[in-house]
mmCIF file of all heavy atoms in Angstrom:
data_model
loop_
_atom_site.group_PDB
_atom_site.id
_atom_site.type_symbol
_atom_site.label_atom_id
_atom_site.label_comp_id
_atom_site.label_asym_id
_atom_site.label_seq_id
_atom_site.Cartn_x
_atom_site.Cartn_y
_atom_site.Cartn_z
ATOM 1 N N TYR A 537 -18.000 -3.209 2.524
ATOM 2 C CA TYR A 537 -16.611 -2.769 2.413
ATOM 3 C C TYR A 537 -15.613 -3.918 2.524
ATOM 4 O O TYR A 537 -14.497 -3.809 2.006
ATOM 5 C CB TYR A 537 -16.329 -1.644 3.405
ATOM 6 C CG TYR A 537 -16.823 -0.319 2.870
ATOM 7 C CD1 TYR A 537 -17.885 0.352 3.463
ATOM 8 C CD2 TYR A 537 -16.258 0.232 1.726
ATOM 9 C CE1 TYR A 537 -18.356 1.543 2.940
ATOM 10 C CE2 TYR A 537 -16.723 1.420 1.196
ATOM 11 C CZ TYR A 537 -17.769 2.078 1.801
ATOM 12 O OH TYR A 537 -18.235 3.247 1.264
ATOM 13 N N ASN A 538 -15.995 -5.015 3.146
ATOM 14 C CA ASN A 538 -15.165 -6.212 3.049
ATOM 15 C C ASN A 538 -15.089 -6.684 1.599
ATOM 16 O O ASN A 538 -14.034 -7.117 1.124
ATOM 17 C CB ASN A 538 -15.718 -7.338 3.929
ATOM 18 C CG ASN A 538 -15.277 -7.220 5.370
ATOM 19 O OD1 ASN A 538 -14.189 -6.735 5.669
ATOM 20 N ND2 ASN A 538 -16.120 -7.652 6.291
ATOM 21 N N LEU A 539 -16.206 -6.601 0.903
ATOM 22 C CA LEU A 539 -16.277 -7.073 -0.478
ATOM 23 C C LEU A 539 -15.549 -6.152 -1.457
ATOM 24 O O LEU A 539 -14.904 -6.617 -2.400
ATOM 25 C CB LEU A 539 -17.735 -7.221 -0.913
ATOM 26 C CG LEU A 539 -18.554 -8.332 -0.244
ATOM 27 C CD1 LEU A 539 -20.030 -8.192 -0.610
ATOM 28 C CD2 LEU A 539 -18.052 -9.713 -0.652
ATOM 29 N N VAL A 540 -15.637 -4.831 -1.246
ATOM 30 C CA VAL A 540 -15.213 -3.917 -2.316
ATOM 31 C C VAL A 540 -13.941 -3.126 -2.039
ATOM 32 O O VAL A 540 -13.409 -2.507 -2.978
ATOM 33 C CB VAL A 540 -16.346 -2.917 -2.654
ATOM 34 C CG1 VAL A 540 -17.638 -3.644 -2.975
ATOM 35 C CG2 VAL A 540 -16.558 -1.880 -1.545
ATOM 36 N N THR A 541 -13.428 -3.108 -0.826
ATOM 37 C CA THR A 541 -12.299 -2.216 -0.517
ATOM 38 C C THR A 541 -11.111 -2.442 -1.434
ATOM 39 O O THR A 541 -10.558 -1.498 -2.019
ATOM 40 C CB THR A 541 -11.882 -2.362 0.952
ATOM 41 O OG1 THR A 541 -12.912 -1.811 1.788
ATOM 42 C CG2 THR A 541 -10.583 -1.603 1.236
ATOM 43 N N ASP A 542 -10.686 -3.690 -1.601
ATOM 44 C CA ASP A 542 -9.542 -3.946 -2.474
ATOM 45 C C ASP A 542 -9.859 -3.667 -3.930
ATOM 46 O O ASP A 542 -9.008 -3.196 -4.688
ATOM 47 C CB ASP A 542 -9.074 -5.398 -2.315
ATOM 48 C CG ASP A 542 -8.057 -5.552 -1.185
ATOM 49 O OD1 ASP A 542 -7.837 -4.570 -0.458
ATOM 50 O OD2 ASP A 542 -7.486 -6.639 -1.035
ATOM 51 N N MET A 543 -11.095 -3.946 -4.338
ATOM 52 C CA MET A 543 -11.505 -3.630 -5.702
ATOM 53 C C MET A 543 -11.421 -2.120 -5.943
ATOM 54 O O MET A 543 -10.960 -1.663 -6.996
ATOM 55 C CB MET A 543 -12.940 -4.103 -5.951
ATOM 56 C CG MET A 543 -13.114 -5.599 -6.025
ATOM 57 S SD MET A 543 -12.730 -6.235 -7.666
ATOM 58 C CE MET A 543 -13.340 -7.925 -7.503
ATOM 59 N N TYR A 544 -11.865 -1.334 -4.974
ATOM 60 C CA TYR A 544 -11.790 0.119 -5.089
ATOM 61 C C TYR A 544 -10.333 0.585 -5.204
ATOM 62 O O TYR A 544 -9.986 1.397 -6.063
ATOM 63 C CB TYR A 544 -12.433 0.779 -3.867
ATOM 64 C CG TYR A 544 -13.934 0.920 -3.906
ATOM 65 C CD1 TYR A 544 -14.700 0.423 -4.952
ATOM 66 C CD2 TYR A 544 -14.613 1.567 -2.874
ATOM 67 C CE1 TYR A 544 -16.077 0.560 -4.980
ATOM 68 C CE2 TYR A 544 -15.992 1.720 -2.885
ATOM 69 C CZ TYR A 544 -16.715 1.210 -3.940
ATOM 70 O OH TYR A 544 -18.090 1.359 -3.959
ATOM 71 N N GLU A 545 -9.492 0.090 -4.302
ATOM 72 C CA GLU A 545 -8.090 0.501 -4.322
ATOM 73 C C GLU A 545 -7.422 0.133 -5.643
ATOM 74 O O GLU A 545 -6.633 0.898 -6.192
ATOM 75 C CB GLU A 545 -7.322 -0.142 -3.160
ATOM 76 C CG GLU A 545 -7.361 0.640 -1.877
ATOM 77 C CD GLU A 545 -6.204 0.287 -0.971
ATOM 78 O OE1 GLU A 545 -5.040 0.543 -1.361
ATOM 79 O OE2 GLU A 545 -6.452 -0.254 0.115
ATOM 80 N N TRP A 546 -7.718 -1.056 -6.115
ATOM 81 C CA TRP A 546 -7.115 -1.563 -7.344
ATOM 82 C C TRP A 546 -7.542 -0.743 -8.559
ATOM 83 O O TRP A 546 -6.723 -0.336 -9.373
ATOM 84 C CB TRP A 546 -7.506 -3.030 -7.511
ATOM 85 C CG TRP A 546 -7.064 -3.677 -8.790
ATOM 86 C CD1 TRP A 546 -5.807 -3.632 -9.353
ATOM 87 C CD2 TRP A 546 -7.864 -4.473 -9.665
ATOM 88 N NE1 TRP A 546 -5.783 -4.352 -10.514
ATOM 89 C CE2 TRP A 546 -7.036 -4.888 -10.735
ATOM 90 C CE3 TRP A 546 -9.196 -4.897 -9.640
ATOM 91 C CZ2 TRP A 546 -7.504 -5.696 -11.768
ATOM 92 C CZ3 TRP A 546 -9.651 -5.703 -10.668
ATOM 93 C CH2 TRP A 546 -8.813 -6.091 -11.724
ATOM 94 N N GLY A 547 -8.827 -0.486 -8.667
ATOM 95 C CA GLY A 547 -9.337 0.162 -9.864
ATOM 96 C C GLY A 547 -9.516 1.656 -9.774
ATOM 97 O O GLY A 547 -9.673 2.335 -10.790
ATOM 98 N N TRP A 548 -9.518 2.217 -8.540
ATOM 99 C CA TRP A 548 -9.878 3.632 -8.366
ATOM 100 C C TRP A 548 -8.792 4.422 -7.660
ATOM 101 O O TRP A 548 -8.518 5.558 -8.002
ATOM 102 C CB TRP A 548 -11.191 3.715 -7.588
ATOM 103 C CG TRP A 548 -11.855 5.051 -7.613
ATOM 104 C CD1 TRP A 548 -11.823 6.004 -6.619
ATOM 105 C CD2 TRP A 548 -12.650 5.610 -8.669
ATOM 106 N NE1 TRP A 548 -12.557 7.109 -6.997
ATOM 107 C CE2 TRP A 548 -13.076 6.895 -8.253
ATOM 108 C CE3 TRP A 548 -13.045 5.147 -9.915
ATOM 109 C CZ2 TRP A 548 -13.877 7.714 -9.042
ATOM 110 C CZ3 TRP A 548 -13.849 5.961 -10.702
ATOM 111 C CH2 TRP A 548 -14.249 7.235 -10.266
ATOM 112 N N GLY A 549 -8.187 3.833 -6.639
ATOM 113 C CA GLY A 549 -7.179 4.535 -5.850
ATOM 114 C C GLY A 549 -7.542 4.526 -4.379
ATOM 115 O O GLY A 549 -8.423 3.785 -3.953
ATOM 116 N N GLN A 550 -6.885 5.343 -3.591
ATOM 117 C CA GLN A 550 -7.050 5.325 -2.141
ATOM 118 C C GLN A 550 -8.102 6.322 -1.637
ATOM 119 O O GLN A 550 -8.394 6.347 -0.438
ATOM 120 C CB GLN A 550 -5.698 5.607 -1.474
ATOM 121 C CG GLN A 550 -4.669 4.529 -1.762
ATOM 122 C CD GLN A 550 -3.281 4.908 -1.294
ATOM 123 O OE1 GLN A 550 -3.109 5.822 -0.488
ATOM 124 N NE2 GLN A 550 -2.268 4.216 -1.796
ATOM 125 N N SER A 551 -8.654 7.125 -2.511
ATOM 126 C CA SER A 551 -9.708 8.080 -2.136
ATOM 127 C C SER A 551 -11.018 7.597 -2.736
ATOM 128 O O SER A 551 -11.230 7.696 -3.949
ATOM 129 C CB SER A 551 -9.373 9.483 -2.647
ATOM 130 O OG SER A 551 -8.224 9.990 -1.999
ATOM 131 N N PHE A 552 -11.892 7.088 -1.883
ATOM 132 C CA PHE A 552 -13.132 6.471 -2.355
ATOM 133 C C PHE A 552 -14.238 7.507 -2.537
ATOM 134 O O PHE A 552 -15.273 7.473 -1.874
ATOM 135 C CB PHE A 552 -13.606 5.397 -1.358
ATOM 136 C CG PHE A 552 -12.661 4.235 -1.189
ATOM 137 C CD1 PHE A 552 -12.934 3.258 -0.242
ATOM 138 C CD2 PHE A 552 -11.523 4.098 -1.955
ATOM 139 C CE1 PHE A 552 -12.082 2.178 -0.063
ATOM 140 C CE2 PHE A 552 -10.654 3.018 -1.794
ATOM 141 C CZ PHE A 552 -10.941 2.055 -0.846
ATOM 142 N N HIS A 553 -14.019 8.455 -3.425
ATOM 143 C CA HIS A 553 -15.031 9.480 -3.661
ATOM 144 C C HIS A 553 -14.829 10.087 -5.042
ATOM 145 O O HIS A 553 -13.854 9.796 -5.743
ATOM 146 C CB HIS A 553 -14.973 10.569 -2.588
ATOM 147 C CG HIS A 553 -13.685 11.353 -2.592
ATOM 148 N ND1 HIS A 553 -13.463 12.409 -3.442
ATOM 149 C CD2 HIS A 553 -12.551 11.226 -1.855
ATOM 150 C CE1 HIS A 553 -12.249 12.909 -3.226
ATOM 151 N NE2 HIS A 553 -11.671 12.214 -2.272
ATOM 152 N N PHE A 554 -15.757 10.946 -5.434
ATOM 153 C CA PHE A 554 -15.685 11.634 -6.720
ATOM 154 C C PHE A 554 -15.159 13.050 -6.522
ATOM 155 O O PHE A 554 -15.062 13.554 -5.399
ATOM 156 C CB PHE A 554 -17.069 11.680 -7.372
ATOM 157 C CG PHE A 554 -17.618 10.328 -7.713
ATOM 158 C CD1 PHE A 554 -18.563 9.709 -6.895
ATOM 159 C CD2 PHE A 554 -17.187 9.657 -8.836
ATOM 160 C CE1 PHE A 554 -19.070 8.460 -7.201
ATOM 161 C CE2 PHE A 554 -17.681 8.403 -9.158
ATOM 162 C CZ PHE A 554 -18.627 7.802 -8.337
ATOM 163 N N SER A 555 -14.849 13.685 -7.631
ATOM 164 C CA SER A 555 -14.481 15.100 -7.615
ATOM 165 C C SER A 555 -14.771 15.676 -8.994
ATOM 166 O O SER A 555 -14.766 14.935 -9.987
ATOM 167 C CB SER A 555 -12.999 15.280 -7.274
ATOM 168 O OG SER A 555 -12.183 14.599 -8.213
ATOM 169 N N PRO A 556 -15.044 16.972 -9.078
ATOM 170 C CA PRO A 556 -15.287 17.565 -10.403
ATOM 171 C C PRO A 556 -14.032 17.472 -11.264
ATOM 172 O O PRO A 556 -12.913 17.622 -10.760
ATOM 173 C CB PRO A 556 -15.619 19.026 -10.073
ATOM 174 C CG PRO A 556 -15.964 19.045 -8.624
ATOM 175 C CD PRO A 556 -15.168 17.952 -7.995
ATOM 176 N N SER A 557 -14.223 17.211 -12.553
ATOM 177 C CA SER A 557 -13.093 17.224 -13.474
ATOM 178 C C SER A 557 -12.604 18.658 -13.635
ATOM 179 O O SER A 557 -13.403 19.599 -13.680
ATOM 180 C CB SER A 557 -13.502 16.658 -14.839
ATOM 181 O OG SER A 557 -13.902 15.310 -14.722
ATOM 182 N N ILE A 558 -11.286 18.826 -13.717
ATOM 183 C CA ILE A 558 -10.697 20.163 -13.876
ATOM 184 C C ILE A 558 -9.848 20.164 -15.140
ATOM 185 O O ILE A 558 -8.906 19.375 -15.243
ATOM 186 C CB ILE A 558 -9.833 20.534 -12.653
ATOM 187 C CG1 ILE A 558 -10.671 20.493 -11.369
ATOM 188 C CG2 ILE A 558 -9.203 21.908 -12.842
ATOM 189 C CD1 ILE A 558 -9.868 20.731 -10.106
#
Side-chain angles (χ1 to χ4, degrees):
Y537 279 113
N538 277 328
L539 292 170
V540 306
T541 291
D542 272 7
M543 290 277 191
Y544 277 3
E545 273 202 64
W546 175 48
W548 194 259
Q550 296 171 17
S551 294
F552 297 175
H553 64 83
F554 296 101
S555 59
S557 298
I558 302 175

